[in-house]
Amino acid sequence: MVLTYLILTGSLEAIAIVLALSPGNFSIAFPARRAHDSDIKSGVLSSQSQPNPGLDTASTGLADGIYLYGQSSQPEEIKQEYFVFEMRQSKVVGAFYLPRSAFYCFYGTSDRTQLNLIVVDSYDGSRSPYSVNLQQYYPISTISENDRRILGTCKESHKQQVWEK
């Protein structure tokens, strides 16, 4: 099942993020931005989606480096979820994002085919645990300048939680 959150302001500017959550991708639901009743113009929509079949690219684990994964095998597709991260000695820091939208930083550890993360809400700074199954996403070899910018922001914000432990 895919849940789509869309929160609009009075000026009809979308400020929340759309996230596809299917049972194999995340262990719990992604938090929505806390908003006042007057800010919310629409609620939750629901549709069906299947996880990406047969992806086994992460079965041996990942070496240190920068990675981009997505719901699509092509980068920058609208309405597709992506995450960029840097791995160092099984520690990770990165971000979930949708092209042309907000992003959420995360940090944590890698356990072969799974990322065990703490996701930081961009709006209120709250932190929530999440697990991501890498086999449910496509690895993407092209890392854009924007991916590197987003990653740099998250690395700077969370370097103490990740690298200095």
Side-chain angles (χ1 to χ4, degrees):
M1 180 170 168
V2 174
L3 296 178
T4 305
Y5 288 91
L6 179 61
I7 300 174
L8 302 177
T9 65
S11 66
L12 297 179
E13 174 186 353
I15 59 171
I17 191 165
V18 179
L19 293 170
L21 304 172
S22 60
N25 292 357
F26 292 91
S27 62
I28 60 177
F30 209 89
R33 177 180 83 99
R34 291 188 185 130
H36 301 291
D37 290 338
S38 62
D39 289 343
I40 299 174
K41 302 296 183 198
S42 65
V44 178
L45 306 172
S46 178
S47 64
Q48 294 295 317
S49 175
Q50 297 299 318
N52 297 326
L55 293 179
D56 192 23
T57 57
S59 63
T60 60
L62 297 173
D64 289 0
I66 296 174
Y67 296 90
L68 176 63
Y69 279 75
Q71 286 180 316
S72 168
S73 61
Q74 299 300 313
E76 296 297 316
E77 287 190 12
I78 302 300
K79 297 184 182 179
Q80 296 296 309
E81 178 185 307
Y82 296 89
F83 56 102
V84 60
F85 62 95
E86 182 173 339
M87 170 97 58
R88 282 194 220 163
Q89 299 176 346
S90 296
K91 294 180 180 180
V92 296
V93 63
F96 292 108
Y97 72 92
L98 292 171
R100 300 186 186 107
S101 187
F103 62 90
Y104 287 88
C105 293
F106 62 76
Y107 59 90
T109 60
S110 171
D111 184 17
R112 299 182 66 80
T113 62
Q114 183 168 305
L115 299 180
N116 302 305
L117 306 172
I118 300 296
V119 179
V120 181
D121 186 296
S122 300
Y123 298 101
D124 66 11
S126 64
R127 300 170 194 283
S128 304
Y130 293 95
S131 294
V132 177
N133 181 345
L134 292 175
Q135 293 176 311
Q136 299 296 315
Y137 291 90
Y138 294 97
I140 301 171
S141 60
T142 305
I143 299 172
S144 72
E145 199 58 41
N146 190 49
D147 293 326
R148 291 181 188 281
R149 180 190 63 80
I150 292 169
L151 177 59
T153 299
C154 294
K155 283 172 54 176
E156 184 61 30
S157 296
H158 303 290
K159 63 185 174 188
Q160 289 183 326
Q161 291 95 340
V162 181
W163 313 132
E164 298 174 10
K165 277 188 170 181

